């Protein structure tokens, strides 16, 4: 898992460094082919640059007379082992035919299981001051099941029906848009370096596994209502398969059906906008789709286009650029953004203080509000929508409003001891609350009622985990880099499957950076993740690229599944195919919608992966003409916003820049079948 650059114009971040075109290198051939090869690591990340600018990152051309390569990639048949900082009660040791004597036992449990706090935002034994050295951890709350306290309101009994159990609908599902982030200094882009002996053993196991077969397919458990699909969330986790093998009842197909001819054509392209004078880059985060409208953020505006023709339907003018946008949309087609009150300049970069809701059908701004901490307006880092509530968070405070009227609903209590760093939305609302000093940080993952902010359940992560991202709110899945052990800046070493109702840890899934290609920004953009999807109580995740099995030089990867109740791999696996790399986008009922980035001479594909058999069905294949491939190649799945529904694919950039490669550049491109 590699780390993209951070967005510009955010508080505490500057514009990205000058771009350099990415370079692909041939893997070196082993000097002694008779010895087992070590697993190949992912190529180092290119120099950070706003995606979509500079020469298109063409997939590598096959070199002449390249000898066939040995298959590579992660050992997909083994169960990842617990890593550093295993919190709460550990899972039983997971046995596997590939287990080796070097396999360590699970780490010892962390004292203090999940408990319910006295109230949301209530500081527990506040220390002398935020960041005060050597201060003790906040005290443990009372026994689980005690009454909760809403934001600034009298206590109410715990255990009432949580808000949001009913299906949460929205116009089509879509993936989280991701903005590049700056790699951490000193962290290599190719993953961690392992013990040489162990690496050789693992490589041998992989080779044997590939000889025996390409993986065992299992029938998976059934899912719940399709209307619960959001960017990266699926069912409520009520139906579970048998432990360890992913078997279960029949699966339920989705809405996306294969057309008679999957060949796609370009519907329209949106030219890249010009940025203001003396400005290098402007953030253009935010894209949404309905059956009639494709909406995309531009420079200080949001524009609605006809979904099929690309003609402009409406324009929402803003005084400054969009900082962040919610992925989630209400049933009646409303969403929210954060923007700056003025255009930034070199001497006055402006802060992201404005929160607004608007209607996707008409482009009408419903309201625009700010919030203060003391006398200072809050500069927000993230915004989300759950039910009829808009919530925005930052290190300096948060707030929530009614999406229709803009009425203030609640605000978290902020003190020297605790604050809400951000929120995840969709079917439920989840807060990531930070407590304690930097040396003794503890994250509280809290499911809250979006109407009044009352805590419904809480899970306390082990001390020392600095950041966490909300991958899905229902079922609740959180990603974190435990002990900075990912080693690649992806923000993920482990996934935590948490029970929404009790706050108890269901299981923990180890996802080593050198094996899996998902990434999350848990620092400021709490629910922005890529390379994964969650549904039918499964986590679907892309593996890292590795050498293909075909003739010549090729790269490929897979999508594999983990059971969120056991933490074990289900045995399901979908191969991208030589020259392609596959990335999950979202759920479609029990199925997974995925995008395949193509080799140098073909167009990209959209496929549906059956949730039971893992059989792939091609929904779309883009044109292979060079002029089209040049535009598509700039829309890297790790950085760009990619939306697909009903035979239409929209790919868009998250920056506008004054940098130019000399070729005509585009903010967005749309493809369609039929």
């Amino acid at each position: 898992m590699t780390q993209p650059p951070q967005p510009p114009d955010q508080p505490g971040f500057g514009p990205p460094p000058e771009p350099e075109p990415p370079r692909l290198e041939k893997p070196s051939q082993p000097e002694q082919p008779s010895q087992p090869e070590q697993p190949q690591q992912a190529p180092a990340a290119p120099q950070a640059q706003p995606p979509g600018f500079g020469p298109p990152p063409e997939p590598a051309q096959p070199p002449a007379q390249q000898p066939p390569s040995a298959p590579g990639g992660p050992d997909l048949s083994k169960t990842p082992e617990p890593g550093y900082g295993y919190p709460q009660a550990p899972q039983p040791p997971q046995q596997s035919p590939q287990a080796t004597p070097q396999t360590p036992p699970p780490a010892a449990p962390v004292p203090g299981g999940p408990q319910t706090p006295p109230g949301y935002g209530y500081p527990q034994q506040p220390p002398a001051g935020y960041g005060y050295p050597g201060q003790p951890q906040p005290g443990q709350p009372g026994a689980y099941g005690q009454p909760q306290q809403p934001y600034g309101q009298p206590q109410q009994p715990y255990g009432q029906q949580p808000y949001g159990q009913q299906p949460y609908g929205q116009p089509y599902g879509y993936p989280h848009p991701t903005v590049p982030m700056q790699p951490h200094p000193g962290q290599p882009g190719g993953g961690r370096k392992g013990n040489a002996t162990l690496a050789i053993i693992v490589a041998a196991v992989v080779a044997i596994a590939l000889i025996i077969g390409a993986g065992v397919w299992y029938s998976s458990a059934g899912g719940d209502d399709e209307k619960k699909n959001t960017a990266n969330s699926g069912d409520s986790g009520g139906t579970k398969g048998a432990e360890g093998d992913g078997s279960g009842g029949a699966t339920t197909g989705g809405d996306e059906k294969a057309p008679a001819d999957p060949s796609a054509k370009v519907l329209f392209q949106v030219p890249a906008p010009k940025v203001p004078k003396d400005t290098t880059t402007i953030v253009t985060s935010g894209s949404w789709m309905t059956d009639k409208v494709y909406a995309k953020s531009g420079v200080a505006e949001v524009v609605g286009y006809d979904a099929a023709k690309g003609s402009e339907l409406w324009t929402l003018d803003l005084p400054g650029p969009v900082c962040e946008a919610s992925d989630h949309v209400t049933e009646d087609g409303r969403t929210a953004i954060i923007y700056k009150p003025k255009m930034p300049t070199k001497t006055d970069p402006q802060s992201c203080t404005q929160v607004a809701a608007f209607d996707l059908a008409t482009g009408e701004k419903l309201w625009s509000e700010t919030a203060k901490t003391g006398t200072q307006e809050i500069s927000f880092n993230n915004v989300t929508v759950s039910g009829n509530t808009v919530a925005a968070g930052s290190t300096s405070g948060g707030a929530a409003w009614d999406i229709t009227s803009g009425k203030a609903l609640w605000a978290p209590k902020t003190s020297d001891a605790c604050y809400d760093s951000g929120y995840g939305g969709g079917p439920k609302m989840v807060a990531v609350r930070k407590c304690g000093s930097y040396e003794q940080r503890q994250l509280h993952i809290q499911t809250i009622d979006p109407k009044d902010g009352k805590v419904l359940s809480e899970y306390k992560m082990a001390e020392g985990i600095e950041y966490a991202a909300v991958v899905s709110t229902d079922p609740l899945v959180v990603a974190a880099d435990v002990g900075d052990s990912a080693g690649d800046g992806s923000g993920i070493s482990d996934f935590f499957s948490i029970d929404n109702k009790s706050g108890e840890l269901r299981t923990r899934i180890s996802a080593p950076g050198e094996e899996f290609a998902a990434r999350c920004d848990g620092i400021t953009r709490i629910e922005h993740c890529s390379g994964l999807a969650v549904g039918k109580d499964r986590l679907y995740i892309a593996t890292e690229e590795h050498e293909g099995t075909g003739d010549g030089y090729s790269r490929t990867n897979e999508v594999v599944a983990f059971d969120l109740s056991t933490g074990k791999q289900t045995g399901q696996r979908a191969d991208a195919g030589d020259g392609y790399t596959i990335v999950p986008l979202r759920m479609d009922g029990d199925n997974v919608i995925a995008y395949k980035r193509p080799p140098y001479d073909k167009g990209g594909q959209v496929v549906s992966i059956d949730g039971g058999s893992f059989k792939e069905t091609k929904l779309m294949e883009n044109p292979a003409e060079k002029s089209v491939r040049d535009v598509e190649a700039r829309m890297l799945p790790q950085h760009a916003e990619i939306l697909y529904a009903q035979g239409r694919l929209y790919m868009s950039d998250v920056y506008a820049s004054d940098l130019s490669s000399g070729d005509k550049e585009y903010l967005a491109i749309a493809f369609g079948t039929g």
Side-chain angles (χ1 to χ4, degrees), residues 19-22 49-57 272 281 634 653-661 665-666:
E20 292 183 14
Q49 68 174 43
F53 308 106
T281 57
R634 290 188 176 98
D653 213 334
V654 292
Y655 287 113
S657 173
D658 64 352
L659 303 175
S660 176
S661 64
E665 295 169 353
Y666 295 90

Side-chain angles (χ1 to χ4, degrees), residues 127-409:
Y130 181 78
Y132 186 84
Q135 60 187 337
Q137 273 300 108
Q140 293 294 333
Y144 176 77
Q146 293 298 315
Q148 305 286 336
Q149 178 177 332
Y151 288 95
Q153 296 185 18
Q155 291 186 344
Q156 297 181 14
Y158 175 87
Q160 72 177 48
Q161 181 69 19
Y163 177 83
Q165 289 294 328
Q166 69 275 13
Y168 176 76
Q170 64 181 23
Y172 304 117
Y174 41 83
H176 285 296
T178 56
V179 175
M181 299 180 296
Q182 189 72 17
H184 294 293
Q187 289 185 337
R192 296 172 297 197
K193 299 291 191 293
N195 177 274
T197 302
L198 181 59
I200 292 174
I201 294 173
V202 173
V205 172
V206 172
I208 293 171
L210 289 173
I211 292 172
I212 294 174
V216 181
W217 288 354
Y218 294 92
S219 174
S220 296
D224 290 335
D225 199 325
E226 297 167 13
K227 291 184 179 180
K228 291 187 178 180
N229 290 342
T230 61
N232 280 322
S233 60
D235 61 27
S236 63
T239 304
K240 305 174 184 178
E243 181 175 347
D245 66 0
S247 61
T251 60
T252 302
D255 294 330
E256 306 296 343
K257 306 302 180 185
D261 182 4
S263 299
K265 63 181 180 180
V266 176
L267 299 178
F268 61 88
Q269 298 175 97
V270 179
K274 294 182 179 180
V275 300
K277 185 179 179 180
D278 298 328
T279 302
T280 303
T281 57
I282 291 288
V283 174
T284 58
S285 291
S287 59
W288 307 264
M289 65 184 302
T290 69
D291 56 345
K292 297 180 179 180
V293 177
Y294 169 69
K296 173 62 187 171
S297 296
V299 174
E301 65 180 7
V302 180
V303 180
Y305 303 91
D306 182 282
K309 302 175 182 178
S311 55
E312 293 189 14
L313 301 178
W314 51 259
T315 300
L316 171 60
D317 291 317
L318 301 168
V322 173
C323 302
E324 288 296 334
S326 174
D327 301 329
H328 306 293
V329 180
T330 63
E331 292 181 346
D332 54 357
R334 298 176 177 185
T335 190
I337 56 174
I338 302 170
Y339 65 95
K340 296 184 177 183
K342 296 180 182 179
M343 291 302 297
T345 64
K346 290 183 178 179
T347 58
D348 187 8
Q350 293 293 310
S351 297
C352 302
T353 57
Q354 313 295 307
V355 180
F358 68 97
D359 191 310
L360 284 171
T362 64
E364 175 190 2
K365 183 194 290 185
L366 305 176
W367 50 264
S368 181
E369 296 290 344
T370 62
K372 292 183 177 181
T373 174
T375 59
Q376 185 72 28
E377 285 189 342
I378 297 174
S379 181
F380 294 104
N381 296 328
N382 53 77
V383 64
T384 195
V385 174
S386 180
N388 208 43
T389 299
V390 175
S394 74
T395 58
S396 56
W401 301 267
D402 181 275
I403 197 169
T404 303
S405 64
K407 176 185 176 183
L409 298 179

Side-chain angles (χ1 to χ4, degrees), residues 495-578:
F495 293 94
F496 299 81
S497 174
I498 303 168
D499 188 283
N500 278 104
K501 296 182 179 180
S502 67
E504 295 179 353
L505 180 67
R506 300 175 67 199
T507 189
R508 176 182 170 213
I509 299 169
S510 178
E514 71 272 17
E515 294 185 19
F516 298 99
R519 66 188 63 202
C520 288
D521 177 4
I523 299 176
T524 58
R525 309 172 73 238
I526 298 300
E527 59 179 347
H528 283 212
C529 298
S530 66
L532 47 74
V534 173
K536 65 189 296 291
D537 214 32
R538 299 287 187 270
L539 167 66
Y540 302 94
I541 182 171
T543 66
E544 280 285 6
E545 293 182 24
H546 57 82
E547 196 169 342
T549 58
D551 294 337
Y553 174 80
S554 67
R555 306 289 293 173
T556 189
N557 75 327
E558 302 79 27
V559 169
V560 297
F562 288 87
D563 189 310
L564 290 176
S565 64
T566 66
K568 298 179 179 180
Q569 288 192 30
T570 64
Q572 297 163 309
R573 161 176 164 168
D575 296 312
D578 275 336

Side-chain angles (χ1 to χ4, degrees), residues 43 275 416 596:
V275 300
D416 287 342
K596 286 187 176 183

Side-chain angles (χ1 to χ4, degrees), residues 623-640:
E625 286 83 356
K626 185 178 185 304
S627 60
V628 178
R629 287 190 285 109
D630 286 348
V631 179
E632 183 177 5
R634 290 188 176 98
M635 306 296 181
L636 300 176
Q638 298 90 340
H639 309 323

